[in-house]
Amino acid sequence: MPRISEPTVAEHRARQLRTLLDAARALVAEEGIEALSLAALARRVGLSRPSLYEYFRSKDDLVAAIVEEELPRWAAHVERALAGPPDLVAKVDAYIRAQLEVMTDGRHAAAVQLVEHALAEPARERIRDGHAQLLRPLVAALADSGVPEPELRAELIQGIVEAAADAAQRRPDRAGAVVEAAVAQAVHGLAAPAPPDQGA
């Protein structure tokens, strides 16, 4: 039996999996998606490539595992952001800001890049299932407010988020302005936002 570093085989495998996923994320963050392969990961962590097959059957399986691990935490962050605001406009605002915070802060760079990576259909299906978690709070907020076709509207708002994340990464000096423009586009379209109510 191989030597293990934890009290049980299951704990050893869980720790080893965490090490492999952390190393894979670091590899993507440092060298880009193209650098990610089972051979490169094996070299990085000092394991033989056959040893990696105990955890991942292919590169697609590895990519899906990285994204699957990240998306629940990402979704929980978005859900918390939408729990506080009282009205729909504020919830959409919070959704966009929370998403862009995750997508541009660097800590989730690997997951953000890998979501868009070309994969075989089984791995893409796994990622789609996880990615749907991100939209659920927004879909619920839209539906609760009586917005027609809430799933479609949520997808369109997510499209604005993804375009804004790309723009912010290309022009980091304008990241704040990109966020504000994305929020304005999603909640006001091309109309000028109403001035804040000054009250009496």
Side-chain angles (χ1 to χ4, degrees):
M1 173 181 271
R3 213 171 139 190
I4 63 173
S5 57
E6 300 294 335
T8 68
V9 172
E11 289 172 304
H12 171 77
R13 284 185 60 81
R15 179 171 181 167
Q16 185 77 306
L17 178 61
R18 163 72 63 183
T19 298
L20 292 171
L21 293 175
D22 286 347
R25 278 192 292 269
L27 186 60
V28 173
E30 293 167 15
E31 301 182 37
I33 294 170
E34 298 76 18
L36 183 64
S37 67
L38 293 183
L41 180 58
R43 286 192 300 272
R44 192 177 186 99
V45 298
L47 289 177
S48 67
R49 184 168 174 174
S51 296
L52 292 187
Y53 289 127
E54 296 180 28
Y55 299 90
F56 314 109
R57 296 181 299 277
S58 64
K59 177 180 175 178
D60 280 1
D61 194 31
L62 169 60
V63 168
I66 294 169
V67 176
E68 282 179 323
E69 185 189 48
E70 192 61 52
L71 281 173
R73 288 194 294 270
W74 186 347
H77 174 70
V78 170
E79 191 166 354
R80 284 193 301 272
L82 268 69
D87 60 79
L88 181 60
V89 168
K91 286 182 184 295
V92 172
D93 183 307
Y95 177 85
I96 293 171
R97 292 179 192 279
Q99 283 275 48
L100 289 175
E101 178 186 343
V102 170
M103 295 174 78
T104 60
D105 72 357
R107 289 178 298 169
H108 308 271
V112 170
Q113 292 180 58
L114 292 170
V115 163
E116 303 302 322
H117 188 62
L119 298 171
E121 186 54 32
R124 290 181 65 82
E125 185 65 29
R126 287 168 59 185
I127 290 175
R128 276 197 296 269
D129 289 345
H131 200 258
Q133 297 176 49
L134 299 176
L135 289 178
R136 283 181 195 138
L138 180 59
V139 171
L142 293 168
D144 290 347
S145 296
V147 174
E149 299 189 87
E151 293 86 359
L152 175 59
R153 298 295 184 96
E155 289 178 14
L156 295 174
I157 291 169
Q158 181 63 26
I160 291 174
V161 168
E162 290 167 7
D166 181 63
Q169 287 162 358
R170 284 186 284 107
R171 301 187 62 185
D173 58 313
R174 298 272 295 151
V178 168
V179 172
E180 297 306 322
V183 170
Q185 182 64 33
V187 300
H188 300 295
L190 296 178
D197 185 4
Q198 299 297 318

